[in-house]
Amino acid sequence: MNNHTLTTHFGIEPTATRLAFMNSAMTSVEEVGGIFAILCLFPLADTKGRKFVAVYVRIAITLLVGSCQFLAAVFQASEVFLLGQMILGSHYSIRHFTSIMYILECTPDNCRGFAGTFLVFAYVLAKLFMFTAASPSLLGTTSSWFIFPLVTMISSVAVLFFLLRFPESPKWLVQQNRIQEAKNSIKIYHGRNCEIEQVVTSMIKEKNLTDEEKLTLRQIWENETLRQAFKILMALLIFNVFDTTMVLSVYTILLHKEAGFTVQMTMNITLILTFITVPTKFFGTFMLDGLGRRPTLLIAGVMEYMKSSLLLTTQTIIYFVGSSLLTQILYVISEFLNAIVPATGVHTIRILFVTELFPPSARTAVAQALMFGGMILSTPITTLFPIIDSIFPPIYYFPFVIVQLIFGVYLYRHLPETRGKSVYEIIESMDNEVGSRAPTISTEKTPLLRDRATTHAIRRASILNTPRTRALTIHQSLLSMKL
């Protein structure tokens, strides 16, 4: 398709450099769509609703992408395919955040981990089916790949009709003061036998955590409790980004060849590991709610650290000694760990915490910061690999080992356990914990410093409506009367 486009559409002779540039562009333009989604589509979830973005906007994007890919296949037009890839970038952002947030807000408190992780399990099954169908012996040929976007468009329409009967997120409806609609939504998602009034009361408390409908990132940072939650979320992001999963996925053929495998052996190993680890993906749907967030992160974190350490060891042996049976064994173990880690559901914790550690008014700003932070961190990690790998491969993995150790220890010390708790209970508990660590105003003896401390404490805490904040506000009033 690229050869045909360069020759026929632009009159340019295809060369290895030009074809490599086009292949790189197909990946790079996705970032443009991702930025557009973060800035323009994410806020729609607050104004138009979670379902509007997670269902209607996402399916509309899928149909647009499918149309571009289908036309690109029929007319052999790479420029149309590039347009589809750019639009597809916005789909990724919505899928990784808004869709999951919609599902988590519809889910009972004791099932949030299962709901978020089951999406990963379903995605793995679909990926396994697609990879099998995309084999060159089946549909993965130049003349038949147009079937994939065609099937995607047809299935998207079917999914749309199936989802029409599902209501909006009850938490978003409560935010809009549409209480009766929220109760009807709760009946469908929580079951008719649930304590509807109790669930609605919990959601109203969650909504009333802040008086403002939308918080900025600066307001979040100025509040001690929300700042602590944001620091935990960023630490979790860095810990997950400084993982070798992306490199193992993008450069899997190159890494296998360096370890001593042929291309055919690489494909066979990947297929075998995929089939072996499919059952383990189902275990992750129970770990977050069964064991809890902290034990799940501990188990997954140890495996991620082992994987990074093994890759550092493997590349060091290859560089100084050469590939051998030992390097092949070490690399297969690393790849096995790479397939097992997502089965724990650890990658869902990040999105879970956006909905669990922050009030509804702060989630869009936090999600935007999270997505931008992930893009900024992951891009150089992926793009610098070929350069560093050609000079001194072992040094590339050294930062992974150090960063994961530092942030792993930080998360082990500060990560809260949120299993089965309502959002109001989680944030109130964090607020009390943060308040217990801060020096009390009454202990300040110097009048001027005490007055300043009181002012700053009130300003930082005033965003949240929790018992500690209300007590602090009353204390401020009493102090003002005395002064």
Side-chain angles (χ1 to χ4, degrees), residues 160-225:
L160 174 62
F161 282 109
F162 175 74
L163 293 177
L164 285 175
R165 65 188 184 92
F166 287 93
E168 180 57 82
S169 159
K171 291 190 176 183
W172 184 82
L173 292 172
V174 168
Q175 284 180 263
Q176 308 304 311
N177 295 318
R178 293 153 60 176
I179 305 301
Q180 187 55 49
E181 292 181 59
K183 291 181 179 180
N184 296 333
S185 179
I186 292 170
K187 289 179 182 178
I188 293 177
Y189 292 124
H190 292 226
R192 295 183 178 275
N193 295 327
C194 72
E195 297 290 339
I196 294 180
E197 295 300 329
Q198 183 178 345
V199 175
V200 171
T201 301
S202 176
M203 291 182 180
I204 292 175
K205 285 183 177 180
E206 180 180 335
K207 172 203 169 186
N208 292 335
L209 279 167
T210 59
D211 294 326
E212 300 185 37
E213 294 183 359
K214 186 176 182 180
L215 296 179
T216 63
L217 200 59
R218 180 177 180 178
Q219 289 175 305
I220 293 170
W221 187 257
E222 287 179 347
N223 180 267
E224 291 178 340
T225 304

Side-chain angles (χ1 to χ4, degrees), residues 82-154:
L82 279 170
L83 177 62
Q85 291 299 104
M86 183 173 66
I87 301 172
L88 184 62
S90 61
H91 181 277
Y92 289 150
S93 299
I94 294 174
R95 186 187 76 191
H96 288 148
F97 176 73
T98 311
S99 295
I100 298 178
M101 183 174 69
Y102 171 47
I103 292 173
L104 292 178
E105 288 188 352
C106 296
T107 307
D109 294 334
N110 61 341
C111 300
R112 285 194 301 260
F114 170 81
T117 311
F118 189 81
L119 291 176
V120 179
F121 175 68
Y123 175 72
V124 170
L125 290 182
K127 186 177 178 181
L128 180 62
F129 171 76
M130 292 297 291
F131 277 2
T132 305
S135 171
S137 59
L138 293 176
L139 300 176
T141 62
T142 305
S143 59
S144 60
W145 73 270
F146 73 92
I147 295 177
F148 286 99
L150 195 62
V151 171
T152 300
M153 289 188 288
I154 295 173

Side-chain angles (χ1 to χ4, degrees), residues 289-305:
D289 289 326
L291 297 180
R293 281 48 161 169
R294 287 177 57 84
T296 300
L297 181 64
L298 177 62
I299 294 170
V302 169
M303 289 194 291
E304 286 188 8
Y305 190 76

Side-chain angles (χ1 to χ4, degrees), residues 255 258 310-319 389 393-394 397:
L255 291 170
E258 289 178 352
L310 282 173
L311 284 171
L312 174 61
T313 304
T314 304
Q315 290 297 326
T316 303
I317 295 173
I318 292 173
Y319 184 80
D389 187 69
Y397 301 93

Side-chain angles (χ1 to χ4, degrees), residues 273-297:
L273 287 177
T274 302
F275 275 106
I276 290 176
T277 56
V278 162
T280 64
K281 310 298 182 184
F282 189 69
F283 299 151
T285 59
F286 297 100
M287 288 187 66
L288 287 173
D289 289 326
L291 297 180
R293 281 48 161 169
R294 287 177 57 84
T296 300
L297 181 64

